[in-house]
Amino acid sequence: MSSQLTPMDVEKQEFARRLNGYDREEVRLFLRSLATEIERMNLEHGRLLEDNGRNRTDLEGLRSREHTLQQTLLTAQGLVEEVKDRARRESELIVKEARL
């Protein structure tokens, strides 16, 4: 048997008959319910894997946007400093001209 149990493995499982053993029908009903639960869990696992893949893709997109926004902010800060420096030089020039 493989290391991963499937619903089919559970449903097809056979047990040796013993005197005063378990009720065969009760065991069969339990195995069917167990197989159903395994199948439900396998489906949920698949759905969660898909969700995880989408979330990873979304995260990569958000990280890319964050990087772009950080670069834009740095550029804007540089421009602000440049404009302030230019304004300071112009004001100094205006003051010098006014004194002359």
Side-chain angles (χ1 to χ4, degrees), residues 9-69:
D9 294 332
V10 174
E11 285 218 50
K12 298 294 182 190
Q13 179 64 43
E14 293 293 328
F15 297 95
R17 294 183 187 177
R18 300 270 190 247
L19 187 61
N20 296 327
Y22 294 109
D23 180 321
R24 292 185 78 216
E25 190 56 33
E26 192 176 329
V27 170
R28 185 61 44 210
L29 287 173
F30 176 76
L31 291 176
R32 276 195 204 113
S33 66
L34 183 60
T36 300
E37 180 64 12
I38 290 172
E39 186 169 6
R40 183 195 65 75
M41 292 174 74
N42 284 344
L43 291 172
E44 182 179 358
H45 181 255
R47 184 188 57 78
L48 291 172
L49 286 175
E50 288 176 10
D51 289 350
N52 189 35
R54 278 192 299 275
N55 290 340
R56 284 178 185 267
T57 300
D58 291 348
L59 179 61
E60 288 172 12
L62 291 172
R63 284 184 175 153
S64 175
R65 285 183 191 174
E66 178 186 28
H67 178 73
T68 301
L69 288 172

Side-chain angles (χ1 to χ4, degrees), residues 79-94:
L79 289 173
V80 165
E81 291 301 319
E82 187 179 312
V83 168
K84 284 168 56 176
D85 188 48
R86 190 178 307 143
R88 185 175 53 253
R89 283 183 282 153
E90 285 181 24
S91 68
E92 290 171 357
L93 183 61
I94 290 171

